[in-house]
Amino acid sequence: MALTPQDLFTSTEVSSVDFWDAVGKVEHERLDFKSRVPKGLSDTLAAMAMTTGGLVVIGVDDDRNISGARLEQAVYDGVMTAGHDVEVSLSTHELLVGGVPVVLIEVPAVSGRLVTTPNGRVLRRVGSSNHPLRGDALARFVRAVTLHPREDDPVPSAGASDIDLDALNQLLAAQKRPRATRRTALKSMAELGLAVDRAGNWVPTVAGVVLVGATPDAHIKGARVQFVDRQGAASRTGASRSRHTLSAPLSRLVEDLVALIENSGERHEAVVGLRREIIPVFPREVLREALLNALAHRDYQLSGGTVDVTLFADRLEVRSPGGLAGHVTLENLRDEHFSRNSRLMGALKSLELVDEFGEGVDRMYEGMAGRLLPEPTWSATDASVTVVLRSESPVSLDDQVWLSMLSATQMTADERRVLVQARHEGRVTRRSVRALLGPDVDVPALLRGMFFKALLVQVGERGGTYYELSREIVARVGSYGIAAQARRREQLVQLVQTRGRLSVAEAAEELDVPREIVKGLLVDLTSEGLIRAVGKTRARVYVPAIDPQSE
């Protein structure tokens, strides 16, 4: 089992492989490497404390060589002095990494007060850098940090009978804690920081009710989602096709909403490569991130405000009560991160539903780009934040489905459009790509890059050069449209029934398509029970699902 950064503090020695597996080699908001104790260490400590906390490793240089450092008096004094200067309590530990000592410094996240540098600045971690806050961003951050978070307020009307035990035990399991019963539910919530002591009794907090309450809106006004389907209308004033009000434990609420949106919108059945899938209009991972952002970052001080989700014919709008949190602005929301409800976010992170470093917004952009859909757009007022997902695309839903099978491959929007053109036309040339993308694109460089990424193969030379989909792409997702793929499936079933037995080679020759595609289709048809496979490996043939000789 891979070690975590926390595990390193309870270890005396690890291999260099285990060390790098645990911390990674890329510095980020929660990780910083130093070859020695620097003069500016207090800046890093202050920035981490005001972001999400983190780990500083002394004894690793900029090239990620383990140069070594011992927790000697001079090192310890330097670390403790830097912590004292910013009033942050630190934990230190000496660890042998492949026999070489390094010093680990655990920096806690600080809430409820400001942590400033010795010269009075407020810093936040952005990637591996410490950035000062100024002007309005600083003022909003100060207000957000110093105000008592509403999520920790008790909810006196809620008791053990109002807790969804399945949701609570899922959260306890994620944090490796014992299961709870109805009798021990509130005590278990208190151990998670989701219940507080009031006159000798445990009382759930706002965060506790939102996370594991069976019906949160029964105790917290506005803790629900209003879903409206207006696919036939252009604006919010038009007639609606349906309306739903949802209230459930937060993780289940997100899944219920995703299912409701997908069932209300257009659904597309696709057979691509080896898989048959129902593809919704919006990428599922993007929907989840948009909904989680709205529910986890909403302002519960606005107790009457609900999260509103509206589905139109061309877009989905998700509106969350409360303005942008802390110092986050529309301009920096992809780079900055601030949790208005840090306890909620911590619970969702332990459930692996969110990433604490704010990467969810990036995943939304990547998910939309993966299907050539427009980027998410955001708007904000003092009272709400709204994200809009649009469904228009320069390619058909058929092509979006095909592209979605390549979501793990890093590509630009231009590369995806060229792949779609090659899929439809069988080949692309410099001239056809220039006509597709316009004169401002460096077409030769684009095609060279796609060749080196094994997306396209080059055929011919000089004036007769053209490019086709690579064998890797064809083998993974096929090269045909969904309608053509469906026709080939029908042809294969008919061939098997007519001939009685059919090999991959015979099918490939008959249909004039690559063996990899034919093999995938035959395997797919076999798994669906439409035909049967007889024999193994090279001797395998395919026969009708019901053998006429057995009747």
Side-chain angles (χ1 to χ4, degrees), residues 19 31-35 55-60 102-105:
F19 175 76
L31 180 65
D32 203 296
F33 296 112
K34 305 291 185 186
S35 59
L55 174 68
V56 179
V57 182
I58 307 294
V60 177
V102 299
V103 176
L104 308 180
I105 307 171

Side-chain angles (χ1 to χ4, degrees), residues 150-163 185-187 189-190 193-198 201-213 219-220:
R150 163 72 168 151
E151 66 171 346
D152 288 334
D153 286 351
V155 183
S157 63
S161 61
D162 301 302
I163 303 305
L186 294 181
K187 182 180 179 182
M189 290 178 65
L194 302 178
V196 294
D197 188 346
R198 288 294 182 269
N201 296 313
W202 294 118
V203 178
T205 63
V206 168
V209 172
V210 168
L211 282 166
V212 299
H219 306 280
I220 303 172

Side-chain angles (χ1 to χ4, degrees), residues 401-466:
V401 171
W402 186 77
L403 285 171
S404 71
M405 302 298 181
L406 297 168
S407 58
T409 303
Q410 293 295 319
M411 288 185 285
T412 66
D414 285 345
E415 287 171 341
R416 290 186 176 93
R417 293 190 67 183
V418 171
L419 281 185
V420 169
Q421 185 182 45
R423 179 194 186 211
H424 281 285
E425 299 180 7
R427 63 179 65 180
V428 294
T429 63
R430 290 186 179 185
R431 177 176 297 179
S432 66
V433 172
R434 188 170 290 109
L436 175 71
L437 301 178
D440 296 332
V441 176
D442 187 343
V443 172
L446 175 68
L447 292 173
R448 279 197 305 273
M450 295 183 72
F451 170 78
F452 286 118
K453 286 183 179 181
L455 301 174
L456 298 175
V457 293
Q458 180 178 327
V459 180
E461 296 179 356
R462 298 183 181 179
T465 299
Y466 61 88

